[in-house]
Amino acid sequence: STAGARGAGEDTMATGDVLVVDDSPQYLELLSTYLESRGHSVRMAAGGEEALSLANTRPPDLVLLDVHMPGLDGFEVCRLLREKWPGEQLPVVFLSASRELPDRMRGFHSGGVDFVAKSVHLEEVAARVETHLELKHRTVALEAANKQLRGVEESRRRFITSVVHDIKNPLTTVIKNTEWVLSQPLGDEETVEVVRDAHVAANHLHRMVLSLLDLARSAEVDLEPQCQRVCVRPWLDDALVLTRLQLRSSPGRLRARADEGAADFDPLLMARVLQNTIDNALKYSPHSEPVDVDVRVIDGGLRLVVEDRGRGVKAEDRERIFASWTRVDEGDHQASTSHGLGLAFCRQAVEAHGGQMLVEDAQPRGARFIIVIPVRALA
């Protein structure tokens, strides 16, 4: 099907292949001639059986279908067409000399998209035809665009997954080797500092790679936490080892506390959530201001709060910052990540636990990220 124009200086209209079905030869010829004069390609059928044969040979863009015909009436023809083509693929406009409501309702119930009285002017019939052709063209174009977008997204996901796997293995080797070097008596403090920086940077990149992989996989399968009973205070100490190593020259920038309770969650997954959230807070906080971390067990569930003294997050951006590949203007907002992945992964991981992650204003300024994992998560 095509979308054509009537000519220079005239309004643009949608044209297409129209199948006109009517048992009156005179009306059939009259309507077909008029539609052809408006640029449509027209095929004619004198009854229901011929209409079905023509449609099966080459599906039209639209069917103009008489209701009352000998043999198969229009309602039955429409029902049979609908068994093969949905309404958006093959719109059916009924023609009838009757204006009775029962006929109109029966026409819509059988799958018709419109109902036109034969007594109206041909211009109105053509206008109805062209309106439904335009709607069909737009639907087809939208479906094609959506298909293309799905293809692009799938290609991106496969590319990301491939690259992430290629990066993750050598990166693991870097982490293990720098960890081993740091366990040896190096003696030279400058060398130790260099290796520590490399170790922290490699771990940070590894965490980004894992987040990227989890987000890419989420289009196919849901993230599944491996929940277990976790004592939150030792868990927090372990989760903050690298962050404290990163902040060894300014340890006062991180203030963390946890109670003595235990909760059910995936300790590795939630450690990455905590680290990403703290990284985000540190990046957009003044170096003179601390980041506070508070972990508590409330009603058997986990409540984790990361609070900073940066610029905060505007109300209209508090959902956007959790979307993949989304960045908020760093000149105006504090709570964006540089790669648009960290916070997106955090929310995904929290929701996989059955929990919630949100951001609100801190007092007197800054952002407060709140994570709540309910006690039912283990089930």
Side-chain angles (χ1 to χ4, degrees):
S1 61
T2 60
R6 295 185 62 179
E10 298 187 44
D11 292 336
T12 301
M13 67 175 185
T15 59
D17 178 20
V18 181
L19 176 59
V20 183
V21 187
D22 199 293
D23 63 338
S24 168
Q26 295 83 5
Y27 189 75
L28 187 64
E29 185 65 33
L30 179 66
L31 184 53
S32 298
T33 299
Y34 184 75
L35 290 174
E36 287 175 344
S37 73
R38 294 179 65 87
H40 299 284
S41 172
V42 180
R43 287 180 287 163
M44 297 182 289
E49 291 84 356
E50 185 181 1
L52 292 173
S53 177
L54 290 173
N56 286 320
T57 301
R58 187 178 81 246
D61 292 318
L62 181 143
V63 178
L64 266 175
L65 181 59
D66 187 19
V67 170
H68 299 294
M69 299 181 295
L72 288 177
D73 65 11
F75 303 126
E76 182 64 14
V77 172
C78 186
R79 187 188 65 78
L80 293 171
L81 290 173
R82 282 291 163 268
E83 290 181 355
K84 193 167 184 180
W85 297 283
E88 62 272 15
Q89 289 185 12
L90 183 56
V92 174
V93 177
F94 280 108
L95 291 166
S96 177
S98 170
R99 291 180 175 269
E100 295 296 325
L101 181 60
D103 278 350
R104 297 169 68 87
M105 296 306 298
R106 188 179 175 192
F108 290 124
H109 289 155
S110 65
V113 298
D114 207 345
F115 204 100
V116 185
K118 285 187 176 181
S119 58
V120 304
H121 295 294
L122 294 179
E123 290 88 345
E124 182 176 339
V125 178
R128 300 283 187 93
V129 166
E130 287 152 14
T131 295
H132 289 291
L133 284 173
E134 178 65 25
L135 290 173
K136 176 181 176 177
H137 294 329
R138 292 182 181 182
T139 300
V140 169
L142 183 59
E143 288 176 349
N146 286 338
K147 183 177 180 180
Q148 184 178 19
L149 286 174
R150 287 192 297 270
V152 170
E153 181 61 28
E154 176 63 17
S155 297
R156 183 174 73 170
R157 186 193 64 78
R158 290 181 178 178
F159 173 75
I160 289 172
T161 302
S162 175
V163 170
V164 164
H165 278 295
D166 289 343
I167 293 174
K168 189 172 72 167
N169 292 335
L171 194 56
T172 301
T173 301
V174 173
I175 292 172
K176 294 297 183 183
N177 285 344
T178 52
E179 185 176 325
W180 179 83
V181 172
L182 288 172
S183 70
Q184 304 304 307
L186 298 177
D188 182 355
E189 186 60 30
E190 185 176 350
T191 301
V192 172
E193 287 297 301
V194 169
V195 176
R196 282 175 178 168
D197 287 342
H199 185 63
V200 170
N203 275 278
H204 181 69
L205 182 57
H206 187 255
R207 192 163 68 249
M208 288 173 55
V209 164
L210 293 178
S211 297
L212 193 60
L213 187 59
D214 285 332
L215 289 171
R217 286 172 173 168
S218 66
E220 293 183 346
V221 294
D222 293 333
L223 193 62
E224 294 186 5
Q226 304 301 310
C227 295
Q228 57 186 272
R229 177 67 62 172
V230 179
C231 295
V232 297
R233 179 170 289 182
W235 168 80
L236 179 62
D237 289 338
D238 288 342
L240 295 181
V241 167
L242 283 173
T243 304
R244 286 177 170 145
L245 187 62
Q246 177 185 351
L247 298 174
R248 58 191 177 277
S249 62
S250 53
R253 286 202 69 197
L254 182 65
R255 302 189 304 198
R257 68 166 301 279
D259 61 24
E260 295 288 352
D264 299 320
F265 58 91
D266 184 326
L268 296 178
L269 205 56
M270 288 305 299
R272 287 167 54 199
V273 170
L274 176 63
Q275 291 156 2
N276 276 312
T277 309
I278 293 174
D279 284 349
N280 181 79
L282 290 170
K283 181 172 183 178
Y284 296 99
S285 293
H287 285 230
S288 60
E289 296 286 351
V291 169
D292 292 309
V293 178
D294 184 83
V295 183
R296 300 185 185 186
V297 176
I298 299 177
D299 297 329
L302 181 71
R303 186 178 189 270
L304 194 157
V305 177
V306 176
E307 183 173 320
D308 61 61
R309 295 294 179 266
R311 295 178 180 174
V313 187
K314 289 184 178 179
E316 60 267 27
D317 292 325
R318 289 179 185 172
E319 285 301 310
R320 288 182 56 214
I321 62 172
F322 294 107
S324 301
W325 315 106
T326 298
R327 294 180 61 184
V328 178
D329 183 1
E330 295 179 14
D332 296 329
H333 301 289
Q334 167 271 339
S336 168
T337 62
S338 60
H339 43 76
L341 294 173
L343 293 179
F345 159 75
C346 290
R347 174 168 278 188
Q348 181 193 55
V350 169
E351 290 180 348
H353 282 80
Q356 291 182 317
M357 181 175 186
L358 55 88
V359 60
E360 64 182 24
D361 288 333
Q363 297 300 327
R365 68 180 186 279
R368 180 185 297 115
F369 287 84
I370 301 173
I371 296 166
V372 178
I373 305 295
V375 67
R376 63 179 178 277
L378 187 61

